[in-house]
Amino acid sequence: MRYISTRGQAPARDFADVLLAGLAEDGGLFIPETWPHFSPADFRSMRGLPYAELAARVMQPFTGTAIPFEVLRTICHAAYAGFGHPAVVPLVQLETGLFVQELFHGPTLAFKDMAMQVLGRLFDYVLTQRDKRVTIVGATSGDTGSAAIEACAGRDRVDIMILHPHGRTSLVQRRQMTTVHAGNVGNVAVEGTFDDCQDLVKAMFADAGFRQEVRLSAVNSINWARIAAQIPYYVASALALGAPDREVAFSVPTGNFGNVLAAWAARRMGLPVARLIVGSNRNDILARFLASNDMSMAPVEPSLSPSMDIQVSSNFERVLFELLDRDADLTRQTMLDFRRFGRMTVADPVWHRARTLFHGFRLDDPGTEAEIRRLHATSGYLADPHTAVGVAAARALPCGGGVPIVAMATAHPAKFPDAMERATGHRPALPPRMADLFEREERFTVLPNDLGTVEAAVRALVGRNRA
Ligand SMILES: *Cc1c(COP(=O)(O)O)cnc(C)c1O
């Protein structure tokens, strides 16, 4: 399997190169040269498999010859062995025809673990093959940093340093990062904002000498391997509800468009998906695009569902490339204009096609709180604010014809105890395996918002492990 760039000016690569590179050199995103396809018989043969086994089978066409199948199987089994539910991604029924699929039973209680746990192990395998090490740096306001740390802690070939804004993350989120004690993990609390942290990371990547010296790498949400590792759970829930002999619909609370892109990919590979619903909070660039062909950037506003607080959904570029019939020049020009003018211009026929692929939905904070309360009152189910957006979207846009809808539950309600308590009067407890989170010892260094100081901290971490 080879991958090409959506902007057409980078050479084709295999899975291992795409994993390590993340972004293509021309600024584009990697996408499979041809989409793999599963027949109905292929899908039927996957019914009833344990999740890790199914994940390996669904990912295999993407990893191709870069990762031997036995290695991929072992990685998938190890990645999901530590999840807090034996089904890994259990389906819960809320009403007739309405289900949630819980993607939050991993080590950090959010769906990022589904891909990150696989990614950390893939990095180790590929880097061992090449006898190389990398240093991952990242900035986080919450979920992504902890998922990346959990995925990389104790890996042989990777050091990881995560920057978070000092005193500006939730306590659960900070402790999920700072109580992981592994020699290859570093946490820096920057005296500044999340934007300062992001600027420091960008500046480290722009410092060519430093970048080479520590072999910088990233695991951000545009990495194709993350998308590939998110496709299997759509297959799993569809099979459980009768696919390939019955259609299903999915509702996905969306930020960077990675999760819903994986659902789209599952359909592209032959899964009978009747409808894909894109749920947004008040940061509704995608909903506006689908409603009125208005893809214009707006300032990010904080909401009850912070992991969906985005200005631009970076993974949308992959769908755009397909909508434009894989015209890389047009994709590149459209994306450059979008960056320059803050507004994406898409021809009407293309927009109409987008509307046949996706349904948009927007829910503000009061609506989200009302949905959490309603769900709790009618079924006793505690849905976190992100999940509540997806469930509300599913209820607003039913398919009819007896097609079941599965809403993706992307975070454990215990990650958002204040919002949950306000809406329902209940403060959800952390799962037993994490109940001691607030007693664990924290390790992090508070540093000023200064590039030289932060680079020195990264060097010290790397030096310790390469000596
Ligand atoms: C990251 C995240 C999302 C958004 O997912 P995308 O792939 O960025 O669209 C939704 N909910 C939660 C809890 C998340 O952590």
Side-chain angles (χ1 to χ4, degrees):
M1 163 70 71
R2 283 151 57 84
Y3 293 84
I4 55 174
S5 166
T6 51
R7 300 197 188 177
Q9 299 186 333
R13 291 265 156 81
D14 77 351
F15 181 82
D17 287 331
V18 164
L19 172 77
L20 296 184
L23 199 68
E25 299 96 307
D26 59 0
L29 274 54
F30 286 112
I31 194 160
E33 196 162 46
T34 55
W35 285 100
H37 193 264
F38 289 125
S39 69
D42 294 334
F43 281 123
R44 278 184 209 109
S45 75
M46 294 183 211
R47 276 184 184 151
L49 289 179
Y51 184 73
E53 200 63 35
L54 177 118
R57 292 245 216 132
V58 174
M59 286 180 72
Q60 183 186 24
F62 295 108
T63 51
T65 52
I67 315 282
F69 183 61
E70 274 315 305
V71 172
L72 181 62
R73 273 188 71 202
T74 307
I75 285 177
C76 288
H77 278 275
Y80 298 119
F83 276 52
H85 195 292
V88 183
V89 284
L91 264 181
V92 178
Q93 185 161 16
L94 299 177
E95 307 170 5
T96 304
L98 177 61
F99 298 79
V100 292
Q101 186 172 28
E102 295 182 344
L103 308 178
F104 56 66
H105 292 284
T108 71
L109 306 181
F111 99 97
K112 303 286 191 293
D113 291 326
M114 294 302 304
M116 285 289 196
Q117 285 294 313
V118 174
L119 217 69
R121 290 170 170 84
L122 286 172
F123 258 81
D124 243 10
Y125 174 77
V126 170
L127 291 166
T128 303
Q129 293 294 303
R130 298 181 178 192
D131 194 20
K132 286 196 176 133
R133 292 187 68 90
V134 295
T135 305
I136 289 168
V137 295
T140 191
S141 56
D143 284 347
T144 311
S146 55
I149 285 176
E150 282 286 354
C152 294
R155 306 261 146 253
D156 293 333
R157 298 279 168 168
V158 179
D159 296 304
I160 180 165
M161 177 71 91
I162 297 293
L163 317 183
H164 70 265
H166 187 38
R168 293 177 196 237
T169 58
S170 85
L171 220 51
V172 174
Q173 287 174 328
R174 187 184 81 208
R175 288 193 149 263
Q176 281 185 325
M177 297 190 282
T178 59
T179 60
V180 176
H181 302 164
N184 67 331
V185 172
N187 276 287
V188 167
V190 175
E191 291 172 324
T193 62
F194 171 60
D195 286 338
D196 294 330
C197 295
Q198 262 190 324
D199 288 344
L200 283 166
V201 170
K202 279 188 201 146
M204 283 189 263
F205 274 92
D207 179 346
F210 180 75
R211 181 180 176 153
Q212 277 296 325
E213 179 193 334
V214 302
R215 300 193 57 89
L216 274 193
S217 187
V219 289
N220 42 29
S221 77
I222 46 83
N223 196 306
W224 172 259
R226 278 180 67 177
I227 309 295
Q230 291 171 182
I231 299 171
Y233 47 77
Y234 290 102
V235 176
S237 52
L239 290 179
L241 294 172
D245 305 300
R246 183 190 187 204
E247 287 189 312
V248 296
F250 293 113
S251 175
V252 188
T254 302
N256 258 324
F257 212 78
N259 204 2
V260 70
L261 177 73
W264 175 86
R267 176 162 65 190
R268 187 71 185 71
M269 292 164 73
L271 197 69
V273 179
R275 176 170 292 188
L276 284 176
I277 303 167
V278 179
S280 307
N281 61 29
R282 61 196 295 182
N283 300 288
D284 62 349
I285 183 166
L286 290 164
R288 277 186 283 123
F289 170 67
L290 291 167
S292 56
N293 199 358
D294 169 21
M295 178 87 86
S296 54
M297 293 185 201
V300 175
E301 294 182 31
S303 78
L304 286 177
S305 42
S307 297
M308 294 154 68
D309 292 346
I310 48 95
Q311 191 183 31
V312 175
S313 297
S314 22
N315 270 299
F316 186 76
E317 180 167 344
R318 290 189 166 108
V319 167
L320 179 69
F321 180 69
E322 298 287 351
L323 286 170
L324 298 175
D325 292 321
R326 299 201 148 208
D327 183 335
D329 289 333
L330 188 51
T331 305
R332 187 178 67 249
Q333 204 48 54
T334 305
M335 292 309 298
L336 292 177
D337 286 349
F338 182 40
R339 283 285 160 195
R340 220 167 116 209
F341 304 115
R343 188 166 199 287
M344 186 180 293
T345 312
V346 173
D348 260 1
V350 175
W351 173 64
H352 281 292
R353 262 176 77 197
R355 283 162 55 91
T356 65
L357 298 178
F358 301 100
H359 285 63
F361 178 81
R362 170 196 202 272
L363 193 65
D364 61 12
D365 278 358
T368 304
E369 203 172 301
E371 180 65 25
I372 295 172
R373 190 176 306 117
R374 195 199 63 84
L375 263 174
H376 182 245
T378 57
S379 61
Y381 193 76
L382 287 176
D384 97 288
H386 303 78
T387 304
V389 171
V391 173
R395 288 198 309 112
L397 297 163
C399 269
V403 174
I405 303 195
V406 184
M408 294 296 137
T410 52
H412 192 290
K415 286 199 99 161
F416 303 94
D418 297 337
M420 298 308 296
E421 186 167 23
R422 231 181 6 255
T424 68
H426 288 266
R427 227 179 146 75
L430 286 166
R433 69 202 143 96
M434 277 185 212
D436 66 340
L437 184 67
F438 284 90
E439 277 103 70
R440 295 180 197 164
E441 185 203 342
E442 284 195 272
R443 283 188 202 156
F444 63 97
T445 319
V446 182
L447 292 180
N449 176 16
D450 173 70
L451 181 63
T453 314
V454 173
E455 284 187 348
V458 176
R459 267 194 201 99
L461 173 74
V462 171
R464 214 159 67 214
N465 296 316
R466 292 189 190 176

